[in-house]
Amino acid sequence: AFEAGGCLSHDDAMRFVTGVAHAITSCHHRKLSIWQAFLYCTILSIVFVGGLYFLVPVRVRSLARDDVIHVKWRASAVVVISFATLFSYPMLFCIEEGSSNHSVFQVLGLVADPLATPRVLLHVMTLYLGPLSALLMKANLLRTHQIRGGQARKRERNKEIPYTSALYSVFFGDLSRMFNQSERWVAIRNLVVAPVSEELVFRGCMVPVLLATGLNAVAVAWIAPLFFGTAHAHHAVLRLREGMKPIMVILLTTFQFAYTSLFGAYCAHAFIRTGSIMAVIGAHFFCNVMGLPDFGFLNQAGSFLSCLYPSRKIIILMYVLGLALFIIGFSSNTLFPRVNILSVSVMG
């Protein structure tokens, strides 16, 4: 393959470029055994997490997790790993023999129905109907009341504020923190870098590989997030280093594994059904913005939502309704196509 000088010959280089181009435009996906797929997913998980350490200098790793320098280095590391993973995919899994009507961009979900993103977002938002209703109700209360320490006090008539201003205060009240460099980079990490890189790697590159084994879509949707959940276990090391008690580290790590695995199962399911990686990136972004539900409205004082205690029954009803709509949404042909789009792209 190499000429006398040790350099790649012109013919070999052209064959390589032609092979890559063919793999990109017509990805006839390689069939894999379950063990091959598991090995790939395991190695990819180790590389993704390991990159946060071996691509980041020791002096930077010793800084706090939210330190600007640390955030920038880790963000750069996952960007490099994500690009390398995407670039290597067609060379590993798209074979030259035979042809396919699907490009590697379709297999990875980079090219898909643009309406898939708003549909998946709408589905996710039904799950958050309770939290969203609570925030809207607080905005409406803030319009006519001053809220201090979770307690509401009636404003004077001439001091009432427009509903749009109240909405902005409730939903974007902390936006001013973005002008602080540290807060800005933490937000970029949580709302941009994490959703994009994690979905590209743990969904975009793992789910098609698992589908290529012949496993059914349901099994893949539950298996793929186990790698995603396990990849977050390294946070336990950071918590121990910060002085957290071991029992608390165990509890938090277990909860985080369960939460990320369940969330990952939903994203894997949505990715298989829609074939759109942008749809699951959007869902990941929205969930990171909303965070875990705030049940402070069940307390009469001491919480951000305590002022809604009198309306707690309505909010609970919205939580139940949202969960019901979310479950019903899985069988909706409006939100999700009848056919598993990604399975067709991989196996077609």
Side-chain angles (χ1 to χ4, degrees):
F2 290 88
E3 293 182 333
C7 297
L8 193 66
S9 71
H10 178 267
D11 290 342
D12 289 332
M14 288 303 298
R15 277 196 294 271
F16 174 77
V17 172
T18 302
V20 171
H22 180 272
I24 290 174
T25 56
S26 178
C27 183
H28 182 62
H29 206 285
R30 189 184 302 276
K31 301 297 185 290
L32 302 168
S33 70
I34 292 176
W35 296 114
Q36 286 175 320
F38 277 29
L39 179 62
Y40 172 78
C41 293
T42 300
I43 292 174
L44 190 52
S45 299
I46 293 171
V47 170
F48 187 88
V49 175
L52 301 176
Y53 295 90
F54 64 74
L55 292 179
V56 178
V58 175
R59 61 178 178 80
V60 175
R61 295 203 304 269
S62 64
L63 299 174
R65 181 172 180 266
D66 290 343
D67 184 274
V68 175
I69 296 175
H70 199 173
V71 172
K72 288 181 178 180
W73 268 95
R74 297 185 79 167
S76 301
V78 297
V79 167
V80 169
I81 293 168
S82 299
F83 272 108
T85 304
L86 291 173
F87 181 78
S88 64
Y89 194 95
M91 291 182 279
L92 290 172
F93 300 114
C94 299
I95 57 179
E96 290 188 46
E97 293 81 8
S99 61
S100 170
N101 294 326
H102 304 284
S103 70
V104 72
F105 299 109
Q106 290 171 296
V107 170
L108 296 173
L110 298 171
V111 174
D113 180 4
L115 293 178
T117 300
R119 286 170 179 164
V120 171
L121 271 176
L122 179 61
H123 188 224
V124 173
M125 288 175 72
T126 62
L127 182 62
Y128 281 87
L129 184 60
L132 287 171
S133 298
L135 291 175
L136 290 172
M137 291 171 70
K138 179 168 183 177
N140 187 56
L141 185 66
L142 185 62
R143 184 176 60 85
T144 56
H145 291 71
Q146 286 184 321
I147 300 175
R148 294 287 185 274
Q151 300 301 307
R153 179 178 298 177
K154 186 75 174 177
R155 295 179 187 271
E156 294 179 18
R157 185 75 178 176
N158 61 349
K159 292 186 178 180
E160 292 183 1
I161 63 175
Y163 187 59
T164 52
S165 298
L167 279 175
Y168 180 88
S169 178
V170 169
F171 283 93
F172 306 108
D174 292 333
L175 199 61
S176 59
R177 295 188 308 169
M178 293 290 286
F179 293 103
N180 176 285
Q181 187 184 30
S182 176
E183 295 286 353
R184 182 168 65 249
W185 275 98
V186 169
I188 291 172
R189 177 194 66 196
N190 295 341
L191 303 181
V192 180
V193 177
V196 173
S197 62
E198 290 177 359
E199 295 307 323
L200 285 175
V201 172
F202 289 94
R203 247 67 70 182
C205 292
M206 287 191 185
V207 171
V209 165
L210 291 168
L211 286 173
T213 65
L215 284 170
N216 65 62
V218 175
V220 171
W222 284 108
I223 292 171
L226 298 179
F227 298 100
F228 181 59
T230 304
H232 285 77
H234 73 101
H235 289 160
V237 177
L238 299 176
R239 293 184 180 115
L240 287 170
R241 194 180 69 185
E242 292 169 357
M244 187 178 290
K245 293 181 179 180
I247 186 64
M248 286 303 299
V249 171
I250 292 172
L251 290 173
L252 282 173
T253 303
T254 301
F255 172 79
Q256 187 174 35
F257 174 80
Y259 176 77
T260 53
S261 295
L262 285 173
F263 172 75
Y266 173 76
C267 286
H269 172 84
F271 183 39
I272 293 169
R273 293 282 295 273
T274 65
S276 171
I277 200 66
M278 284 305 302
V280 292
I281 289 174
H284 196 149
F285 167 82
F286 178 78
C287 291
N288 280 9
V289 169
M290 294 298 295
L292 294 174
D294 183 352
F295 294 102
F297 61 88
L298 296 175
N299 301 317
Q300 288 183 288
S303 170
F304 175 74
L305 295 178
S306 293
C307 56
L308 299 178
Y309 180 78
S311 305
R312 61 192 181 283
K313 292 181 180 179
I314 297 175
I315 298 173
I316 291 173
L317 179 62
M318 291 297 102
Y319 268 86
V320 174
L321 179 60
L323 181 59
L325 290 173
F326 181 72
I327 294 171
I328 293 171
F330 282 105
S331 58
S332 169
N333 293 325
T334 302
L335 295 176
F336 295 105
R338 291 177 180 271
V339 179
N340 291 331
I341 302 298
L342 188 65
S343 297
V344 173
S345 296
V346 174
M347 305 299 290

